[in-house]
Amino acid sequence: MNNMNIKAGDKVVVLSGKNKGTVGEVLTAMPKAGKVVVKDVNVCACHTKPRRQGDEGGIIRKECPIYVSKVMLVCPKCDKPTRVGHKTVEVGGKKKNVRVCKKCSAEI
């Protein structure tokens, strides 16, 4: 799963699970694990102990990774969930691969 179509900063919609239908921004992408961390999605409570004197323990809420197959990219132009295509574009004499929306053919 090294070749992921979703990157950090992308807007995605969750397809399954308890957060189904939620739209959020990708905070981090983990291509080797095939997972992404989405803002305010799959939030878990971590109980922490105070490690040093003066530290506070308690319950910290943080986002946990979810599989990339459970999210779908939202096109910034047509604002619809879409699959991702790839296209080679020549920019200044150099070839560059860009992501393309399958619905409106806009570059992502």
Side-chain angles (χ1 to χ4, degrees):
M1 273 213 166
N2 284 345
N3 196 1
M4 283 195 345
N5 295 322
I6 296 174
K7 298 178 181 177
D10 286 343
K11 191 174 163 186
V12 294
V13 63
V14 180
L15 300 176
S16 64
K18 63 183 178 185
N19 298 111
K20 182 178 179 179
T22 307
V23 178
E25 183 185 343
V26 176
L27 299 174
T28 55
M30 300 175 237
K32 285 191 177 179
K35 294 184 178 189
V36 290
V37 177
V38 183
K39 188 174 184 181
D40 297 330
V41 171
N42 197 24
V43 178
C44 63
C46 295
H47 299 263
T48 58
K49 281 175 74 172
R51 294 293 172 193
R52 284 183 238 113
Q53 193 172 6
D55 278 358
E56 280 192 38
I59 301 169
I60 296 174
R61 303 186 67 71
K62 68 175 188 175
E63 294 94 355
C64 293
I66 58 173
Y67 284 106
V68 75
S69 62
K70 293 182 180 280
V71 296
M72 185 177 256
L73 186 70
V74 175
C75 176
K77 187 178 177 193
C78 63
D79 206 42
K80 294 179 184 173
T82 181
R83 291 177 297 139
V84 180
H86 293 275
K87 185 169 77 172
T88 305
V89 178
E90 196 167 324
V91 180
K94 291 185 178 181
K95 290 184 178 180
K96 182 180 175 185
N97 285 330
V98 292
R99 297 181 298 162
V100 178
C101 172
K102 286 277 194 175
K103 291 192 177 179
C104 68
S105 301
E107 286 186 17
I108 300 173

